[in-house]
Amino acid sequence: MADTHTLSTKTIFALRDREAAIAQAAKTILEGGIVVIPTETVYGLAANAFNPAAVAAIFAAKGRPNDNPLIVHISDTSMLSKVAVDINDAARALMQAYWPGPLSLVLKKHPNIPNEVSAGLPTVAVRMPENEIARDIIARSGVPLAAPSANLSGKPSPTTAMHAFEDMGGRVPLIIDGGPCTTGVESTVVDLTGAVPAILRPGGITPEMIKSVCGQVQFCAAAAQGQAPASPGMKYRHYAPAAQVSLFSGNKKEVAKNINTMYDIYNEKSLNPAIFCNTNCAALYVGKNTVVLGSTAAQVQASLFAELRNADAAGYGVILFHYEDTMGLAVRNRIEKAAEKPRR
Ligand code: TXA
Ligand code: MG
């Protein structure tokens, strides 16, 4: 494979020249290249899902372990029959309710899908993004796109083209800038191959939203029980800024007491701590370095990854994260993953 690290990277602002962006992205994809594309969740690193060499180049550019499968993105339901088979009623109901949108469905894979995409699993995760630039690029390419988040493996997912450039500049030929991502956390991954829909990764679509359509939903506990993880990506550390991250949750007053105590200890050690919280809790931390992520779950999700990157740029050594249930499970999951990072 060519040394992708010496490639220069061109950025096209799709909001200014949409046609040129879509045409150039589709051309690059059909030539076997990889392109950073905007989606409503996070920026994706996209290639033709039917081209094993192009898919291999995604893993190389990210430094991603090759046992972690990719999500296949489609622009309309007519593409579905080319990527998945045996689609049951629950899957169809979820597609009807939440596609296009931040929901990836794990289905039985079509033989068309190379093992490079599914990491050898008999299943494939499929999603139809809501972002119209993404769907137009897929439609113009005429092929489904395999796309993980466009970050270096282990770093926070990019929610702006600039963040994608920080990680992928010089590694991919083309970045399409579609503005900041509106959802800000990755899609919910749901396994539809069993009797009960199982959430493998919480995301933009909540468990309640899935239950309201399917009548039932479960969380996949395979990894916790020591079995092979159903979603291989969940066994890897993710979303980690350089700063050490600690999550605090529970009784608000006790959390604030603990965070303030820890803050003072880290501050005395010159570790430059910062407190992440929602608007509701900001008053508990007056006079301290505080990053307020927003009021609603949607606002907190949308700002989370950008603020983790900003924290590194600002030189914070420790992030004390005040989690409240109103922030939602997707946020909790990302912070727990970031907190797993080994100490430096
Ligand atoms: O919102 C998103 O999903 C973004 C945008 C770009 O669409 N993509 C994304 O991809 O987050 P990635 O590769 O960063 O995460 C994909 C997750 C991983 O946890 C992976 O293990 C899981 O989906 N996954 C993919 N295919 C799977 C399969 N066949 N069975 C179980 N889990 C699967
Ligand atoms: Mg990712």
Side-chain angles (χ1 to χ4, degrees):
M1 196 186 71
D3 179 11
T4 49
H5 300 235
T6 58
L7 282 175
S8 64
T9 299
K10 184 175 176 191
T11 303
I12 301 185
F13 296 90
L15 302 174
R16 252 182 248 156
D17 197 347
R18 198 188 157 89
E19 259 313 290
I22 289 163
Q24 187 63 32
K27 181 169 179 285
T28 307
I29 285 162
L30 289 176
E31 287 169 356
I34 47 181
V35 179
V36 171
I37 63 166
T39 87
E40 72 280 14
T41 56
V42 300
Y43 275 74
L45 192 57
N48 178 355
F50 295 146
N51 181 337
V55 172
I58 293 178
F59 283 84
K62 269 185 76 94
R64 180 178 176 107
N66 61 9
D67 65 347
N68 192 3
L70 305 181
I71 294 171
V72 172
H73 298 66
I74 59 176
S75 53
D76 60 88
T77 38
S78 69
M79 270 188 181
L80 187 62
S81 58
K82 296 179 188 149
V83 300
V85 295
D86 293 352
I87 298 158
N88 61 25
D89 289 346
R92 293 212 181 272
L94 286 171
M95 290 171 197
Q96 179 73 30
Y98 301 122
W99 276 6
L103 177 67
S104 297
L105 302 177
V106 173
L107 304 166
K108 195 167 161 199
K109 120 180 155 66
H110 190 288
N112 282 344
I113 296 293
N115 279 329
E116 283 78 358
V117 171
S118 63
L121 293 174
T123 55
V124 62
V126 189
R127 143 166 146 83
M128 187 191 294
E130 193 175 1
N131 183 296
E132 285 182 4
I133 297 167
R135 284 212 311 281
D136 285 353
I137 291 170
I138 303 166
R140 182 72 66 89
S141 307
V143 290
L145 301 185
S149 48
N151 51 288
L152 288 174
S153 218
K155 294 246 298 186
S157 297
T159 50
T160 66
M162 184 46 79
H163 292 162
F165 184 84
E166 280 169 18
D167 284 14
M168 289 302 146
R171 292 172 180 256
V172 300
L174 183 63
I175 292 175
I176 304 299
D177 185 347
C181 301
T182 49
T183 302
V185 291
E186 301 86 345
S187 61
T188 306
V189 180
V190 184
D191 185 353
L192 272 307
T193 63
V196 178
I199 297 180
L200 306 182
R201 177 178 72 180
I205 300 291
T206 63
E208 295 73 29
M209 290 165 81
I210 292 164
K211 198 170 175 197
S212 74
V213 170
C214 299
Q216 50 185 354
V217 67
Q218 62 179 350
F219 281 91
C220 176
Q225 290 160 3
Q227 300 161 7
S231 182
M234 297 312 283
K235 75 179 183 227
Y236 293 109
R237 293 198 172 90
H238 266 93
Y239 317 115
Q244 176 195 327
V245 180
S246 298
L247 182 141
F248 297 77
S249 65
N251 177 282
K252 193 170 163 180
K253 275 191 184 152
E254 274 169 32
V255 166
K257 198 172 142 224
N258 291 338
I259 287 183
N260 279 315
T261 305
M262 294 308 292
Y263 185 99
D264 291 342
I265 292 170
Y266 287 124
N267 207 25
E268 262 169 42
K269 292 185 177 168
S270 302
L271 286 172
N272 204 12
I275 298 163
F276 276 43
C277 64
N278 61 17
T279 315
N280 188 29
C281 294
L284 300 166
Y285 305 113
V286 175
K288 301 207 151 90
N289 292 329
T290 307
V291 175
V292 181
L293 297 165
S295 305
T296 62
Q299 287 168 356
V300 174
Q301 282 176 19
S303 61
L304 180 69
F305 286 135
E307 292 298 355
L308 289 176
R309 282 182 183 254
N310 288 344
D312 282 350
Y316 290 126
V318 178
I319 293 170
L320 304 168
F321 196 102
H322 186 152
Y323 175 80
E324 289 219 298
D325 288 342
T326 53
M327 292 177 168
L329 280 182
V331 167
R332 181 169 188 122
N333 166 268
R334 302 316 185 267
I335 294 303
E336 281 173 348
K337 290 267 148 199
E340 279 171 18
K341 190 163 170 275
R343 302 281 352 100
R344 301 171 169 229

